[in-house]
Amino acid sequence: MELKLCFSFLLLHVIHVQSSRQWLINVPRKIYALETSCLVIPCIYSIPWRVSTPNLRKRTGLWKIGKKIVATTNYNWQLPKEYKYRSDFLGDLHSLNCTMMLEDVRRTDVGPFYFRIEIDPVKSYSFKKNSVHIDVTSNPTPPSMSVQRMDGMVASCFVTHPCPTNPPKFAWNRPERATRRSNRVNMWLWKTTSILYFSPKPGAFNQTLNCTVHYSGGKQATSSMIIP
Ligand SMILES: *[C@@H]1O[C@H](CO)[C@@H](O)[C@H](O)[C@H]1NC(C)=O
Ligand SMILES: *[C@@H]1O[C@H](CO)[C@@H](O)[C@H](O)[C@H]1NC(C)=O
Ligand SMILES: *[C@@H]1O[C@H](CO)[C@@H](O)[C@H](O)[C@H]1NC(C)=O
């Protein structure tokens, strides 16, 4: 339900941006990220008709901080050492998609990041007013846990994060295999949930159930519950 609403919201945004004829962009203002992990900046843009015709073949997309290039669609360009191998331009410019990814997030990656488009031969535009700020924390959030007694037991464990391309993994202190799924919470935030079905040993009291989340990049956090 929440998911459906969210998708129709995004779709409306895409339609709105595509049918307009101005320099427009839709990006989040702020993203909360975990140090060493990754983040995706979702991004769609539009350009004025007078610029987009007739010669729109050659476009270059850039993500920048100040004068520094963080990511680009032009692989011939050199990125500064601090972003090389850490950034990736995921979006397809011709579908008006300027989505970017940053891995191994550092405490200094606060931004503001902005998107710039260069259109052959002379026309360029920087979306500086719509820059993206990153709030980097170094403490991984422990997962939220719940356990329910059904036929057997059903335990679930989830975290939210900004990195759909590389979602966190979960480990339980039980041998049963868990399933994992992700869904979108808002424009930039995702929720990844692990669900475990198990049957506790009859007569075993006060057993601890642990769920450990392993974020991409290696940070982890554990939550525990006594099995009711
Ligand atoms: C933009 O591109 C990214 C990466 O390919 C994709 O995940 C996302 O769904 C695209 N966004 C839209 C609005 O199409
Ligand atoms: C389970 O924990 C409760 C509360 O800590 C304690 O009173 C009880 O004795 C424990 N039961 C067993 C079998 O260990
Ligand atoms: C579960 O986590 C607690 C601390 O959160 C730890 O003391 C305990 O050893 C863990 N149990 C298992 C079986 O991993």
Side-chain angles (χ1 to χ4, degrees):
M1 175 64 182
E2 181 188 69
L3 198 60
K4 260 190 206 154
L5 276 174
C6 190
F7 277 128
S8 50
F9 163 80
L10 282 170
L11 198 60
L12 279 176
H13 261 285
V14 172
I15 290 164
H16 173 71
V17 168
Q18 283 185 343
S19 59
S20 65
R21 304 171 179 198
Q22 310 159 46
W23 300 105
L24 280 182
I25 194 164
N26 189 20
V27 286
R29 253 173 218 292
K30 192 167 199 173
I31 291 178
Y32 291 84
L34 175 64
E35 190 183 7
T36 74
S37 190
C38 53
L39 65 90
V40 170
I41 302 179
C43 175
I44 45 178
Y45 74 100
S46 79
I47 63 179
W49 284 125
R50 67 187 152 78
V51 175
S52 68
T53 54
N55 190 6
L56 55 63
R57 292 283 154 246
K58 274 206 160 180
R59 289 184 193 181
T60 302
L62 302 161
W63 274 96
K64 299 184 80 175
I65 299 181
K67 295 200 162 133
K68 242 184 259 180
I69 301 175
V70 174
T72 171
T73 53
N74 187 337
Y75 293 104
N76 295 321
W77 291 7
Q78 282 288 324
L79 295 181
K81 207 168 62 197
E82 62 181 300
Y83 294 111
K84 217 174 177 176
Y85 311 122
R86 284 208 301 137
S87 66
D88 199 3
F89 202 105
L90 300 180
D92 169 22
L93 285 187
H94 294 285
S95 334
L96 306 180
N97 189 325
C98 39
T99 300
M100 176 192 105
M101 176 181 183
L102 193 62
E103 283 180 289
D104 190 15
V105 169
R106 298 176 187 172
R107 242 190 252 233
T108 47
D109 288 332
V110 292
F113 296 86
Y114 67 91
F115 178 62
R116 174 178 171 80
I117 182 133
E118 300 190 344
I119 298 154
D120 191 54
V122 282
K123 193 68 193 166
S124 297
Y125 192 85
S126 292
F127 294 91
K128 279 192 176 168
K129 275 192 206 148
N130 303 84
S131 58
V132 182
H133 296 256
I134 313 293
D135 196 314
V136 183
T137 174
S138 45
N139 302 320
T141 313
S144 303
M145 257 180 112
S146 67
V147 185
Q148 252 185 305
R149 191 178 286 277
M150 312 280 275
D151 274 347
M153 307 294 289
V154 185
S156 91
C157 192
F158 73 85
V159 290
T160 55
H161 59 89
C163 194
T165 50
N166 210 347
K169 298 186 167 113
F170 294 86
W172 298 82
N173 63 336
R174 293 201 58 96
E176 293 87 354
R177 185 170 301 173
T179 58
R180 184 179 64 153
R181 61 153 196 258
S182 294
N183 50 53
R184 196 171 205 145
V185 176
N186 63 30
M187 192 188 182
W188 59 272
L189 189 68
W190 293 74
K191 175 178 172 181
T192 300
T193 308
S194 175
I195 299 196
L196 181 79
Y197 295 91
F198 67 98
S199 316
K201 281 203 195 86
F205 290 102
N206 294 350
Q207 286 183 76
T208 305
L209 185 63
N210 289 356
C211 171
T212 303
V213 57
H214 296 265
Y215 292 92
S216 80
K219 293 215 181 201
Q220 62 181 70
T222 300
S223 294
S224 304
M225 279 185 86
I226 302 291
I227 298 172

